[in-house]
């Protein structure tokens, strides 16, 4: 017990100023987790937003990119006369048309200039600003949200997949499970393990839960094969949990780092993303109408195509939102333009808004989290600005 | 009553082995600390410097369209990745092969106390050098020397942002007012809060700020030999915990070393580190009397680590708090491999892909991705952080899947139980193991049991 107490104290005093830390903040929001659901998908490797949502209406695009992001003439789907959806995302067109999918084309975390995947992802998941050193960011913003929620059980939030999710790490309880974990136990072995664990409460509880989750065989081997199988397995498991007690789920999809041969690289990644979202929709059934999916990446990519038919690490990028609860069918936020003077550092898309502001407004509208709590505890130092109204 | 050799192997080392006799006494346990010194395969900062400089040139040529340079850059990167893989394989092999295991356990402990985290393969190479240059050579000396080696190592200077800290009134800052150069407190904060006094220690924000100013000048660049550049240092003296450092003439590394030595000897440090050792080796809820004995030994010996180890390895609390700790994933895999009757040489003899797929990568599913703790406070200690549904499922799955590959000639159930747990197996486990339907499941039940996962 002492150990835990020390840990609590330590995390209360480390990292951010005392006033900004949730444990020292007496405000708490009143409502229990409720029926609304949130899925956060971390796109690891930096998605090229300019290729996913191609601004073909911007006259500068053609000069910057010759073989990629070539708009409707090469099969991308026009969305609004200015942006076109990458062909690999075409399975999501029905969601766009029914207003269940939208995007913000030019957002970013406060991370700038060094363009390291690891630092960028750390900052995205920590939800903090640049005032903290990379090493000081200990817990993730979804965990700090949970720390503020009344009535949180460990099942309230799930990190899905074998990949570590810093976004959920921290002192608030949460669950994690990887759909590929399968316990190929004979009935006899299972019975023997139960007996062996019987007198050890910690192992008894963990073992019983492990065997129960594994026995449900969600995702895992029942998922059909194919290149998007892993993504579907993650989404299937998340949907199943969200149909039970879980209200927040997070997983990551890798494979976005398209330095060369971008058409092949990004198509595979976008197909996985599209399938994950559609699997969530199918798995959630009528709960889809109360679900918001946010797909976020650590930063965007260079506006210019490089010499290998790819793009390099950039700054501003796109965020995708989907779900029955979102007010989609449009691009959110201003378009910064692609002219020479419009770019960040002469090479990257200029972010016009902090990606955390979108996440914060989603949390406010989904879970009734007060704004001052979001700006101090969940995203310390964030100015949320006006409500972009991504929820219906 | 658990006999000392079994108790020492399980609690202070990586468990029992059918091939390696457990340490007979405390002297044998303590002797293993010396054998954890750097070996002929040690990774050096110099390796990192050469690799990064060569890489920069190749990348530049590749940008200019040199296809051969592009391929060479890729080949060089692959080579670094492979070198890192071998370094991890050797960590496993040394832990499996260390007879008493205490020395390699201390490598894990101090590497975690001074947590660093690499990102790309080159940083990971430097993180491997950190183990061989900062941790291994100083396991058995004064804590002050370990602290200085760790917190001035190029890897730490990068990880805790010291490389971007500049004295606001330093020559560099005054010459380039446009660049808004300034302090970064990260290393100073963690040095006090995590590495020495601890968050409960007797210090204030002012001490952190002053130490950050004192640390200015510390800076690593792969193209330079020195790690201290006076032109970055804040001029004047700094006062940390009531004592003034520097201020007379040019700033130098000696002032920083003097401050670190005082931090190492501070009473809060003695208590913080003594408690941490007891939490790690004895009980998440540490017996206070043992903490006091270690603290006193720290103060009497000026933080001479062998003085603490000598008390720890003979502490009666090892037996009275038996099985209060849960093995972390690395310890679990090493202990399993030992119990299966593999030697360190067997582990070294594995092809690299097998070492990765059978030993290193499975740690991720158990919640301990190799070399990637979340923050500078390292991996959690609490039993409940590791005995989670997912963590346990991953251990069960690993036991079923990889033990037959590691040891195709699986031992008989009762023999394996004796090899893994000696006389310490519970009645329930002794009852269950012979009833398993296959040798593979019998091995799994032993390895997945609370008896084996606790120490």
């Amino acid at each position: 017990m002492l150990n835990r107490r020390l840990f609590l104290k330590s995390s209360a005093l480390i990292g951010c100023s005392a006033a900004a830390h949730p444990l020292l903040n007496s405000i708490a929001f009143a409502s229990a987790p409720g029926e609304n659901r949130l899925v956060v998908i971390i796109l690891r490797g930096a998605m090229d937003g300019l290729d996913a949502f191609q601004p073909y209406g911007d006259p500068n695009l053609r000069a910057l990119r010759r073989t990629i992001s070539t708009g409707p003439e090469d099969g991308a789907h026009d969305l609004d006369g200015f942006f076109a959806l990458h062909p690999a995302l075409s399975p999501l067109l029905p969601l766009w048309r029914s207003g269940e999918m939208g995007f913000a084309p030019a957002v970013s975390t406060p991370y700038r200039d060094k363009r390291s995947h690891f630092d960028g992802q750390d900052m995205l998941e920590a939800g903090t600003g640049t005032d903290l050193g990379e090493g000081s960011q200990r817990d993730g913003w979804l965990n700090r949200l949970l720390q503020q929620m009344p009535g949180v059980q460990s099942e309230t939030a799930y990190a899905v997949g074998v990949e570590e999710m810093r976004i959920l790490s921290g002192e608030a309880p949460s669950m994690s499970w990887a759909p590929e974990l399968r316990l190929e136990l004979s009935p006899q072995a299972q019975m023997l393990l139960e007996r062996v664990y019987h007198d050890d409460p910690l192992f008894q509880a963990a073992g019983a839960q492990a065997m129960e989750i594994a026995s449900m065989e969600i995702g895992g081997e029942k998922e059909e094969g194919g290149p998007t199988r892993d993504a579907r397995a993650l989404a299937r498991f998340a949907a199943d949990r969200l149909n039970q007690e879980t209200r927040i789920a997070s997983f990551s999809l890798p494979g976005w780092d398209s330095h060369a041969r971008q058409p092949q690289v990004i198509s595979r990644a976008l197909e996985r993303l599209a399938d994950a979202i559609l699997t969530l929709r199918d798995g959630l059934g009528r709960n889809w109408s109360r679900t918001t999916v946010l797909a976020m990446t650590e930063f965007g990519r260079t506006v210019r195509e490089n010499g290998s038919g790819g793009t390099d690490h950039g700054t501003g990028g796109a965020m995708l939102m989907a779900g029955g609860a979102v007010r989609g069918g449009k691009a959110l936020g201003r378009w910064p333009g692609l002219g020479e003077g419009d770019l960040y550092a002469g090479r990257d898309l200029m972010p016009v808004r902090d990606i955390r502001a979108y996440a914060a407004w989603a949390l406010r509208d989904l879970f009734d989290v007060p704004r001052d709590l979001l700006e101090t505890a969940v995203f310390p130092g964030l100015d949320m600005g006006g409500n972009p109204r991504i929820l219906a | 009553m658990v006999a000392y050799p079994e108790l020492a192997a399980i609690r202070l080392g990586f468990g029992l082995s059918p091939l390696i006799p457990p340490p007979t006494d405390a002297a044998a346990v303590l002797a293993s600390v010396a054998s954890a010194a750097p070996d002929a395969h040690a990774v050096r900062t110099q390796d990192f410097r050469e690799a990064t400089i060569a890489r920069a040139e190749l990348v530049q040529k590749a940008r200019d369209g040199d296809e051969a340079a592009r391929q060479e850059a890729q080949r060089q990167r692959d080579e670094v990745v492979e070198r890192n893989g071998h370094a991890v394989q050797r960590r496993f092999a040394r832990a499996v092969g260390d007879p008493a295991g205490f020395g390699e356990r201390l490598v894990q402990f101090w590497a975690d106390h001074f947590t660093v985290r690499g990102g790309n393969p080159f940083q990971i190479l430097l993180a491997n050098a950190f183990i061989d240059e900062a941790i291994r050579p100083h396991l058995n000396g004064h804590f002050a020397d370990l602290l200085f080696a760790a917190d001035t190592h190029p890897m730490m200077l990068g990880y805790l942002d010291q490389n971007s800290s500049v004295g606001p009134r330093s020559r560099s800052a005054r010459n380039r007012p446009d660049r808004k150069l300034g302090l970064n407190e990260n290393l100073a904060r963690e040095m006090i809060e995590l590495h020495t006094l601890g968050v409960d220690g007797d210090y204030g924000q002012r001490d952190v700020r002053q130490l950050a100013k004192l640390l200015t000048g510390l800076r690593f660049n792969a193209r330079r030999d020195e790690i201290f550049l006076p032109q970055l240092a804040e001029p004047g003296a700094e006062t940390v915990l009531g004592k003034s450092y520097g201020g007379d003439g040019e700033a130098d590394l000696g002032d920083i070393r003097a401050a670190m030595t005082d931090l190492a000897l501070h009473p809060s440090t003695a208590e913080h580190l003594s408690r941490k050792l007891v939490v790690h080796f004895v009980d998440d809820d540490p017996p206070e009397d043992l903490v006091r004995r270690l603290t006193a030994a720290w103060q009497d010996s000026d933080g001479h680590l062998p003085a603490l180890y000598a008390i720890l390895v003979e502490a009666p609390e090892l037996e009275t708090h038996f099985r209060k700790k849960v093995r972390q994933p690395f310890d679990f895999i090493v202990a399993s491999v030992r119990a299966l009757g593999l030697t360190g040489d067997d582990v070294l003899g594995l092809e690299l892909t097998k070492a990765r797929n059978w030993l290193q990568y499975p740690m991720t599913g158990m919640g301990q991705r190799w070399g990637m703790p979340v923050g500078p406070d390292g991996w959690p200690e609490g039993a409940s952080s590791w005995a989670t549904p997912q963590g346990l499922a991953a251990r069960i799955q690993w036991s079923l899947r990889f033990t037959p590959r590691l040891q195709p000639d699986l031992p008989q159930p009762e023999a394996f139980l004796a090899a893994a747990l000696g006389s310490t197996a519970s009645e329930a486990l002794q009852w269950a193991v012979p009833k398993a339907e296959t040798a593979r499941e019998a091995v799994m039940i032993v390895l997945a049991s609370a008896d084996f996962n606790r120490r």
Side-chain angles (χ1 to χ4, degrees), chain B residues 338-400:
Chain B
R338 274 172 76 94
L340 284 165
L342 275 74
T343 63
D345 285 343
D346 292 336
V347 173
L348 275 184
L350 291 173
E351 287 166 36
L352 184 55
T353 46
K354 287 180 179 165
R356 281 180 176 140
N357 291 331
W358 298 358
L359 305 175
Q360 179 186 348
Y361 296 161
M363 287 173 59
T364 306
M366 301 176 195
Q368 191 172 42
R369 186 171 167 200
W370 178 272
M372 297 299 235
V374 172
D377 49 347
W379 298 110
E381 281 289 343
S384 59
S385 298
W386 303 110
T388 62
Q390 180 179 2
L392 199 50
R395 293 183 191 210
I396 294 171
Q397 189 182 37
W398 182 86
S399 305
L400 287 170

Side-chain angles (χ1 to χ4, degrees), chain A residues 93-250:
Chain A
L93 266 179
L95 296 186
W96 171 266
R97 292 191 183 119
S98 63
E100 295 181 352
M101 195 261 280
F103 65 98
V107 295
S108 78
T109 70
Y111 182 62
R112 290 292 180 276
D113 298 336
K114 273 177 74 187
R115 301 180 179 87
S116 145
H117 291 302
F118 310 100
D119 293 353
Q121 289 172 27
D122 283 351
M123 190 171 282
L124 174 64
E125 295 184 71
T128 49
T130 49
D131 51 330
L132 297 177
E134 190 247 323
S136 326
Q137 297 157 6
R138 275 158 220 237
D139 48 10
W141 56 267
L142 282 180
N143 193 280
R144 291 196 299 276
L145 169 73
L146 293 171
Q147 291 168 24
Q148 303 293 336
M149 275 184 158
V152 165
Q153 311 287 320
S154 57
E155 287 80 10
T156 302
Y158 246 97
V160 187
V162 76
E163 198 67 33
E164 179 196 11
M165 300 301 296
R166 292 185 91 177
I167 195 171
L168 262 171
S169 74
E171 71 205 33
S174 66
M175 294 284 287
S176 61
W177 188 262
E180 62 262 44
L181 276 176
R182 286 190 303 279
L183 298 181
E184 301 122 347
L185 294 178
S186 68
Q188 172 79 351
Q190 181 160 343
M191 182 276 285
L192 293 173
L193 270 183
E194 283 164 5
R195 288 286 289 269
V196 166
Y197 289 149
H198 183 268
D199 294 332
D200 189 311
L202 181 65
F203 280 80
Q204 195 277 330
Q209 212 163 9
M211 287 184 245
E212 186 200 326
I213 301 172
S215 69
M216 297 184 305
E217 291 185 29
I218 312 153
E221 61 195 302
K222 289 206 169 160
E223 203 63 44
E224 277 176 44
T228 65
R229 181 180 185 277
D230 290 350
R232 279 182 277 116
L234 294 169
R236 186 94 56 204
F237 185 85
D240 178 87
R241 297 286 87 187
L242 290 161
N243 286 335
Q244 312 290 326
E245 300 301 311
T246 301
R247 292 297 170 266
I248 294 168
S250 187

Side-chain angles (χ1 to χ4, degrees), chain B residues 8-183:
Chain B
I10 293 170
R11 300 222 73 186
L12 301 169
F14 291 94
L16 299 170
S17 156
L19 304 178
I20 309 167
T24 48
D25 53 19
V29 174
L30 293 171
S32 81
V33 184
S35 65
D39 64 12
H41 300 280
V43 182
R44 300 286 162 198
T45 295
Q46 187 60 24
D47 301 327
F48 166 84
R49 295 177 60 191
E50 286 165 9
T52 29
I53 291 167
R55 174 173 175 76
E57 286 166 10
L58 290 169
V59 166
Q60 189 53 51
K61 282 186 192 160
R63 278 211 187 106
D64 298 340
D66 183 340
E67 175 59 21
R70 194 191 64 75
Q71 288 181 12
E72 176 62 13
Q74 185 59 46
R75 192 200 57 74
Q76 190 222 12
R77 190 176 195 273
D78 293 345
E79 212 173 80
V80 171
V81 169
E82 191 175 316
R83 177 127 200 234
N84 289 329
H86 284 301
V88 176
Q89 185 171 9
R90 270 196 298 279
R91 283 280 282 282
F92 274 99
R94 291 187 74 167
V96 169
D98 184 352
F102 186 56
E104 291 300 313
R105 285 282 306 280
L106 287 172
V107 173
Q108 295 295 114
F109 175 81
W110 289 115
D112 185 66
H113 180 68
F114 293 105
T115 286
V116 293
R117 178 172 141 132
N120 66 47
F122 294 84
Q123 289 169 356
I124 292 171
L125 185 69
L126 190 57
N128 284 319
F130 177 80
I131 300 294
D132 287 328
E133 294 175 331
I135 304 297
R136 288 190 183 276
H138 300 100
L139 289 178
N140 221 11
H142 281 94
F143 177 73
D145 296 328
L146 174 61
L147 173 68
F148 183 77
D151 280 1
T152 62
H153 192 276
M155 185 64 206
M156 189 67 84
L157 298 182
Y159 176 61
L160 290 181
D161 304 316
Q162 184 61 31
N163 285 335
S164 58
S165 188
V166 178
R169 296 188 297 121
S170 66
R171 291 203 297 279
S172 292
R174 277 182 284 125
N175 291 343
R176 297 293 305 276
D178 51 310
R179 291 185 58 201
K180 297 192 180 108
L181 299 169
L183 278 187

Side-chain angles (χ1 to χ4, degrees), chain B residues 19 68 172 201 265 301 322 392 412 423:
Chain B
L19 304 178
S172 292
L265 297 178
S301 69
F322 189 42
L392 199 50
Q412 288 305 306
S423 67

Side-chain angles (χ1 to χ4, degrees), chain A residues 22-90:
Chain A
L23 287 179
L24 301 179
N25 195 317
S26 58
I27 320 158
F29 56 101
S31 69
E35 282 301 310
N36 286 335
R37 288 153 174 87
L38 172 68
V39 181
V40 178
I41 306 176
I42 304 291
L43 309 175
R44 295 191 194 279
M47 174 177 77
D48 182 22
L50 287 176
D51 204 5
F53 304 98
Q54 303 169 6
Y56 75 98
D58 190 309
N60 292 304
L61 183 66
R62 281 277 56 78
L64 296 165
R65 296 189 167 197
R66 285 159 291 110
T67 68
I68 55 179
S69 316
T70 45
E73 64 194 64
D74 282 320
H77 303 274
D78 173 58
L79 293 175
D80 58 0
F82 187 86
F83 289 102
L85 190 66
H86 191 285
L89 283 180
S90 60

